[in-house]
């Protein structure tokens, strides 16, 4: 079972404040909450309450998701907003599922040639107007409203408009992220600051510009964002500041419906976002782990954590090689998610110790042969096939922001939405137009062309690691999951599923359990395992001295590891929502 020592540390050392939220309707909001009337879990109590308010009014999960998305853009303007993007997985009460890819895409003017002509790099433009990609959040809202929403946009946007006009109390997360990005905001968005100063906890933040923008969308329709006055404002800003996006880019944007990726782990069915994001890597992780008896090892057994470290290193290289926009590159998401391919990757796991610099250089840094399994290849026949030349993975700097936001919704009828949205880094480019920040998704393309899935091209959707999902057991909904956290997203969600399935943790227990993150630091030649405090000291010592990993301990709870906001469906149908302990999240439910 999981570490009782850590559980005592949590109970004694971390006091979780339960927040009551004033709402226009009767809702209850806490960090952990149970209800049989529907549930919303989000990274901010007010955003969760906005969704629950819609459920209380008789709205369904899609209605509540739209309200939550819009509210998050007000109360977490640093993490998402109207100029953001993302992915959602929807499961209807009858078991039907679909996913909407509303990832941003590069504007038509965005090319490596233009970068060179302006003497810029991808890294440099990530905090400039040139760093923005064409956003998808508003188009996603338009799409899901046509797929089963029961409430008009005016009602769904009402909580967000109320928060923007009347204001809300700045919490510690808001204030700290503002302080961390003060230089950026001072240069790019001084009007966002509080008379030139960073916002402090307890102060009241209002955003009348965003309220006016939301009212425009309600009055004139969501296409106003892409074809009307808001698009005109973005175009004018870009022309004035030397940015690359134009109104024509906004006009041309479309969301894409994609089949969710499906996999299984020890009898549980995983339905997760696929291309061009992190779902295939998550399934690859689970397929590898299915070959081990983790429950027999124990939750903080150093051997189990070592195996996870080794697998995470391998699957990260596969993601970097094979996951991208299928309209532009050869991908191998199905191969990555194949159980027989997991056996091939399993052969690369070194049980007796950490991967060394020589081993990394001599082959473990290379992606596996996932394409051989794309059309159902079998492990036992693989070794008789001719081998393709090993792919190179471009040695690009990985961005590791803790930004992005995720929320989960289940209504009283059993419809569910897992929705992740982002403006990439906190505050995106830092450029502020009509009350919202412009994303900096261009920073996720590679600095130089390398012939791979993350090369920059006009109209291309960049790969990221988000992985919203629903999990079923025997055809019934069990969990709605997702998290922010950059490169930690897939490892964190993988650990949550292992915690709940192998170690029988509750959702609350796994969200409050410490997490690990894995990487290989080439310049130092070491396998780096970043760990939140809470593991047994003997476990951490064994990982470092026995297995040879470099262990870096971060104090629990640490924002670096993201912040899952998720919902569990009990065997009796009771819903339990849990907000993030690392980012002040909450769950909210109607009172009637």
């Amino acid at each position: 079972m999981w570490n009782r020592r850590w559980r005592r540390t949590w109970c004694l050392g971390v006091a979780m404040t339960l927040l009551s939220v004033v709402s226009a309707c009767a809702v209850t909001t806490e960090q952990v909450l149970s209800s049989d009337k529907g549930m919303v879990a989000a990274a901010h109590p007010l955003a969760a309450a906005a969704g629950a308010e819609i459920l209380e009014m008789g709205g369904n999960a899609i209605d509540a998701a739209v309200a939550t998305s819009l509210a998050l853009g007000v109360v977490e303007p640093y993490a998402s907003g109207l100029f953001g993007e993302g992915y959602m997985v929807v499961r209807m009460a009858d078991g039907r599922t679909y996913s909407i890819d509303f990832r941003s895409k590069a504007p038509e003017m965005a090319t490596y040639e233009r970068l060179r002509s302006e003497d810029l790099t991808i890294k440099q433009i990530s905090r400039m107007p040139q760093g923005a990609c064409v956003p998808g959040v508003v188009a996603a809202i338009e799409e899901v409203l046509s797929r089963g929403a029961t409430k008009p946009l005016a009602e769904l946007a009402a909580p967000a408009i109320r928060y923007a006009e009347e204001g809300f109390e700045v919490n510690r997360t808001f204030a700290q992220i503002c302080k961390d990005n003060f230089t950026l905001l001072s240069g790019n968005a001084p009007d966002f600051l509080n008379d030139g100063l960073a916002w402090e906890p307890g102060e009241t933040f209002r955003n009348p510009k965003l309220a006016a923008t939301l009212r425009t969308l309600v009055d004139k329709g969501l296409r106003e964002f892409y074809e009307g006055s808001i698009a005109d404002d973005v175009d004018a800003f870009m022309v004035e500041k030397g940015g690359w996006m134009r109104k024509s880019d906004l006009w041309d944007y479309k969301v894409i419906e994609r089949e969710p990726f499906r996999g299984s782990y020890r009898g549980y069915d995983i339905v997760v976002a696929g291309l061009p994001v992190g779902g295939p890597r998550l399934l690859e992780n689970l397929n590898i782990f299915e070959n081990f008896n983790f429950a027999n090892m124990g939750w903080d057994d150093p051997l189990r954590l070592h195996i996870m470290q080794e697998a995470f290193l391998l699957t990260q290289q596969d993601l970097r090689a094979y996951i991208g926009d299928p309209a532009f590159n050869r991908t191998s998401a199905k191969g990555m998610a194949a159980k027989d391919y997991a056996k091939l990757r399993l052969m690369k796991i070194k049980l007796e110790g950490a991967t060394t610099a020589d081993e990394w250089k001599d082959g473990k840094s290379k992606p596996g042969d996932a394409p051989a399994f794309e059309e159902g290849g079998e492990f036992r026949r693989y070794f008789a096939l001719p081998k393709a030349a090993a792919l190179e993975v471009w040695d690009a700097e990985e961005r590791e922001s803790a930004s992005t936001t995720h929320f989960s919704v289940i209504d009283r009828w059993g419809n569910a939405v897992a929705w992740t949205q982002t403006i990439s880094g906190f505050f995106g480019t830092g450029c502020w137009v009509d009350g919202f920040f412009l994303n900096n998704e261009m920073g996720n393309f590679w600095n130089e062309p390398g012939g791979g899935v993350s090369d920059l091209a006009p109209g291309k959707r960049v790969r990221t690691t988000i992985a919203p999902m629903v999990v079923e057991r025997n055809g019934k909904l069990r969990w709605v999951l997702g998290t922010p956290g950059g490169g930690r997203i897939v490892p964190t969600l993988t650990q949550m599923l292992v915690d709940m399935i192998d170690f029988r943790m509750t959702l609350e227990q796994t969200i409050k359990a410490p997490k690990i993150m894995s990487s290989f630091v080439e310049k130092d030649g070491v396998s780096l395992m970043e760990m939140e405090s809470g593991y047994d000291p003997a476990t951490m010592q064994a990982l470092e001295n026995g297995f040879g990993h470099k262990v870096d301990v971060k104090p629990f709870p640490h924002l670096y590891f993201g912040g899952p906001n998720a919902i569990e469906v009990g065997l009796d149908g009771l819903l339990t929502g849990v907000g993030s302990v690392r980012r002040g999240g909450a769950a909210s439910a109607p009172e009637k």
Side-chain angles (χ1 to χ4, degrees):
M1 192 53 185
W2 61 297
N3 192 337
R4 290 189 176 87
R5 176 186 177 276
W6 170 82
R7 181 170 55 186
R8 290 194 299 271
T9 301
W10 164 261
C11 294
L12 292 172
V14 179
M16 176 54 62
T17 302
L18 301 181
L19 299 170
S20 60
V21 177
V22 177
S23 169
C25 297
V27 303
T28 300
T29 305
E30 299 180 8
Q31 198 265 321
V32 181
L33 182 67
S34 294
S35 173
D36 60 358
K37 300 176 178 63
M39 185 70 65
V40 181
H44 195 289
L46 287 172
E53 180 178 323
I54 299 304
L55 294 179
E56 197 274 343
M57 294 166 58
N60 62 22
I62 292 175
D63 296 315
V66 170
T68 305
S69 171
L70 292 173
L72 280 166
V74 178
V75 298
E76 279 197 329
Y78 44 82
S80 69
L82 297 179
F83 219 80
E85 49 112 284
Y87 220 110
M88 76 179 82
V89 174
V90 179
R91 183 189 188 275
M92 305 306 291
D94 62 7
R96 289 180 294 119
T97 59
Y98 63 89
S99 64
I100 302 296
D101 170 357
F102 56 102
R103 303 282 297 118
S104 61
K105 63 178 187 176
E108 286 301 308
M109 293 173 64
T111 64
Y112 286 116
E113 290 74 21
R114 184 173 293 276
L115 274 170
R116 287 191 287 269
S117 72
E118 297 185 19
D119 197 24
L120 293 170
T121 66
I122 289 289
K123 186 174 182 179
Q124 288 172 329
I125 67 170
S126 68
R127 297 299 195 176
M128 300 168 63
Q130 295 94 322
C133 284
V134 187
V137 164
V138 176
I141 290 172
E142 182 181 40
E143 178 69 17
V144 294
L145 285 176
S146 70
R147 286 174 170 262
T150 64
K151 299 291 183 182
L153 180 61
E155 291 185 23
L156 304 182
I161 293 172
R162 186 171 70 246
Y163 298 156
E165 289 182 338
E166 298 177 7
F168 58 93
E169 184 176 307
V170 171
N171 62 19
R172 285 180 296 176
T173 301
F174 190 118
Q176 187 60 55
I177 294 172
C178 190
K179 284 186 177 71
D180 292 343
N181 292 273
F182 180 73
T183 301
L184 171 70
L185 296 171
S186 297
N188 288 10
D191 291 347
F192 175 81
L193 297 169
N194 188 9
D195 290 330
L197 301 176
W199 290 94
E200 296 288 345
E203 294 178 338
T204 299
F205 176 82
R206 296 179 178 87
N207 193 342
K209 289 183 179 179
L210 182 54
T213 297
L214 291 170
R215 288 193 181 279
T216 297
L217 295 177
V218 168
D219 294 341
K220 296 186 178 181
L222 293 169
R223 293 312 301 172
E224 190 74 8
F225 187 87
Y226 293 96
E227 300 172 3
S229 61
I230 301 170
D232 290 335
D233 291 346
V234 172
D235 188 287
F237 175 86
M238 288 288 175
V239 170
E240 178 187 354
K241 302 294 185 180
W244 296 341
M245 195 180 304
R246 296 294 181 266
K247 186 176 182 178
S248 57
D249 293 305
L250 292 162
W251 189 290
D252 289 342
Y253 183 85
K254 298 289 187 298
V255 302
I256 300 175
E257 179 180 356
R258 300 191 193 273
E259 277 293 315
F261 263 61
R262 288 183 170 269
S264 65
Y265 183 66
R266 306 197 200 281
Y268 288 79
D269 297 311
I270 319 293
V271 185
V272 65
L275 291 169
V277 294
R281 183 191 177 200
L282 178 132
L283 295 177
E284 183 182 356
N285 287 332
L286 294 173
N287 289 340
I288 292 172
F289 297 154
E290 209 165 31
N291 292 282
F292 296 94
N293 188 348
F294 281 167
N296 193 51
M297 294 181 188
W299 179 77
D300 64 352
D301 187 306
L303 177 59
R304 181 185 77 89
L305 295 171
H306 164 74
I307 291 168
M308 296 188 86
Q309 170 86 357
E310 283 279 293
F312 289 159
L313 294 179
L314 296 171
T315 62
Q316 172 67 2
Q317 298 306 95
D318 286 348
L319 178 134
R320 294 176 68 191
Y322 297 126
I323 300 301
D325 188 338
F328 287 79
N329 294 98
R330 182 190 75 165
T331 63
S332 192
K334 291 180 181 178
M336 280 180 62
K339 288 190 180 292
D340 270 27
Y341 176 60
K343 296 177 184 177
L344 188 67
R345 296 307 265 156
L346 178 65
M347 296 173 65
K348 291 286 187 180
I349 289 179
K350 179 184 173 187
L351 290 178
E352 68 269 24
T355 295
T356 66
D358 286 343
E359 290 165 343
W360 186 254
K361 182 180 179 181
D362 290 344
K364 290 188 76 168
S365 64
K366 302 287 192 298
D369 192 5
F373 297 83
E374 186 73 8
E375 302 299 330
E378 294 182 67
F379 175 76
R380 62 179 177 173
R381 300 183 189 278
Y382 171 78
F383 299 96
L385 298 174
K387 301 301 178 289
L391 277 177
E392 295 290 336
V393 176
W394 184 252
D395 186 20
E397 178 182 357
E398 294 288 327
R399 300 183 60 215
E400 292 298 338
S401 173
S403 56
T404 303
T405 196
H406 173 85
F407 62 90
S408 301
V409 183
I410 302 178
D411 64 27
R412 68 186 68 207
W413 301 285
N415 303 302
V417 179
W419 183 314
T420 305
Q421 62 185 35
T422 183
I423 53 173
S424 196
F426 281 137
F427 291 108
T429 59
C431 299
W432 205 37
V433 177
D434 290 352
F436 52 81
F437 285 96
L438 308 187
N439 71 69
N440 64 337
E441 288 291 339
M442 283 283 290
N444 287 304
F445 288 108
W446 286 342
N447 236 347
E448 296 288 343
V453 292
S454 289
D455 280 359
L456 170 63
K460 187 174 184 178
R461 294 172 189 241
V462 68
R463 178 209 69 222
T464 61
T465 58
I466 60 177
M469 77 183 83
V470 297
V471 181
E472 302 171 344
R473 174 74 163 176
N474 297 325
K476 295 183 178 180
L477 183 62
R478 188 71 176 93
W479 297 296
V480 182
L481 304 173
T483 185
R488 280 83 58 209
I489 289 174
V490 171
T492 289
L493 292 171
T494 303
Q495 289 169 80
M496 289 177 64
L497 289 168
V498 169
D499 285 349
M500 293 187 291
I501 295 172
D502 291 87
F503 298 105
R504 301 290 187 251
M505 286 191 190
T506 65
L507 180 62
E508 179 183 1
Q509 287 171 334
T510 186
I511 284 181
K512 292 179 178 179
K515 301 293 183 284
I516 68 168
M517 171 60 186
S518 309
S519 58
F520 195 88
V521 184
E522 293 196 39
K523 64 182 181 66
D524 298 329
V526 296
S527 172
L528 174 65
M529 181 181 288
E530 296 167 290
M531 307 179 74
E532 280 183 300
S533 58
Y535 290 96
D536 191 305
T539 295
M540 292 187 281
Q541 187 175 22
L543 288 165
E544 191 154 45
N545 298 337
F547 287 91
H549 300 287
K550 178 178 174 55
V551 173
D552 177 19
V553 181
K554 300 180 184 297
F556 177 90
H558 203 289
L559 184 62
Y560 175 76
F561 291 90
N565 300 284
I567 304 172
E568 181 174 69
V569 183
L571 298 179
D572 58 357
L574 186 69
L575 305 176
T576 299
V578 185
S580 169
V581 300
R582 296 168 181 83
R583 200 152 122 185
S588 189
E591 292 185 0
K592 62 180 181 179

